[in-house]
Amino acid sequence: MELTKELYETITLIVEDKVKDIKVTREEFEKLRNAVLDLAEAQKRTEERVEELAQAQKRTEEALKQLARAVASLSDTIGYSLEDIARVVLPGYLERHYRIKIPELERRFLSIDGKEIEINLYAEGERDGNPVVVIAESKSRIYEGDVRSFYDSIKSALPFLPGEPFIVLFGYLIHPSATKIAKELNILVVASYQR
């Protein structure tokens, strides 16, 4: 078979078209390759940023832990100072307003059914010749939840006390919600400024 000029031109056109297709494919491949390289670099930068953020988060968490310890320490300091004020104020207050005579309030640990209950302010005394046990706690700000929580923490000890329980919460600020629930639970709430 002889190759004619027309057949030669047709074959040439077909080959040129295929070469163009291959060229376009290579150009697209290069673009795709460059895009993948750009994405890989962006991914690397993102991973570095994520690591930096993780380290910053770790430092933030540590700073928050230190802050929490500092606040707890400050809270303890304020709480103990408030306890000291309660030790001075409550005996006179209870005697003037409720005829309850107690020596001094002290910290006491009671063991009830194998469970230890810590009472921040405890005193055994008398009212009108009858034995009374004062159980008190000081909190700088007293809300409804604080009253409930205090009551729940001591209620199991109440039947075992050597006298009628007289429960007191003492603080700088007493929220109205605390006063309401305290009346329902038969707990006295006293503000530090009350005499």
Side-chain angles (χ1 to χ4, degrees):
M1 177 176 201
E2 194 174 310
L3 191 65
T4 65
K5 184 177 179 184
E6 288 123 11
L7 185 59
Y8 176 79
E9 286 177 2
T10 303
I11 291 172
T12 304
L13 283 174
I14 291 172
V15 169
E16 284 176 357
D17 280 347
K18 292 300 175 189
V19 167
K20 282 181 189 175
D21 286 347
I22 291 171
K23 186 177 180 186
V24 168
T25 304
R26 279 189 182 158
E27 286 174 4
E28 289 174 352
F29 177 77
E30 279 301 313
K31 286 180 185 175
L32 180 61
R33 181 178 170 271
N34 290 335
V36 168
L37 290 174
D38 290 345
L39 283 173
E41 183 60 32
Q43 177 66 26
K44 183 179 177 186
R45 287 192 307 268
T46 300
E47 288 171 357
E48 289 170 356
R49 291 288 184 204
V50 166
E51 180 58 30
E52 289 173 8
L53 285 173
Q55 292 300 320
Q57 176 69 23
K58 198 174 189 181
R59 289 190 301 272
T60 300
E61 288 172 359
E62 184 56 38
L64 283 174
K65 286 178 186 175
Q66 290 175 357
L67 178 61
R69 285 191 291 267
V71 168
S73 176
L74 179 60
S75 178
D76 287 346
T77 301
I78 290 171
Y80 288 129
S81 297
L82 186 58
E83 266 184 38
D84 293 337
I85 293 169
R87 280 189 176 90
V88 172
V89 171
L90 281 179
Y93 183 87
L94 294 176
E95 187 168 0
R96 279 190 301 281
H97 295 279
Y98 296 93
R99 300 176 321 280
I100 295 175
K101 295 179 183 178
I102 53 174
E104 65 180 44
L105 293 156
E106 60 185 34
R107 185 171 302 271
R108 181 72 61 96
F109 294 89
L110 305 176
S111 182
I112 307 295
D113 294 331
K115 180 181 172 189
E116 188 173 74
I117 299 173
E118 180 179 0
I119 309 294
N120 293 344
L121 300 163
Y122 177 97
E124 295 177 8
E126 63 96 28
R127 173 166 55 184
D128 302 329
N130 298 313
V132 174
V133 177
V134 174
I135 295 179
E137 182 171 295
S138 62
K139 291 193 75 65
S140 58
R141 301 164 90 67
I142 302 171
Y143 294 94
E144 177 182 352
D146 300 310
V147 176
R148 288 185 189 279
S149 177
F150 177 55
Y151 182 76
D152 288 343
S153 72
I154 63 164
K155 68 183 174 186
S156 63
L158 299 180
F160 300 99
L161 298 175
E164 177 190 352
F166 196 87
I167 307 167
V168 182
L169 268 167
F170 182 85
Y172 292 125
L173 175 136
I174 300 169
H175 190 268
S177 65
T179 303
K180 182 178 183 236
I181 192 66
K183 283 182 184 175
E184 291 174 20
L185 296 174
N186 199 26
I187 297 174
L188 174 66
V189 287
V190 179
S192 60
Y193 56 82
Q194 291 179 305
R195 300 285 176 245

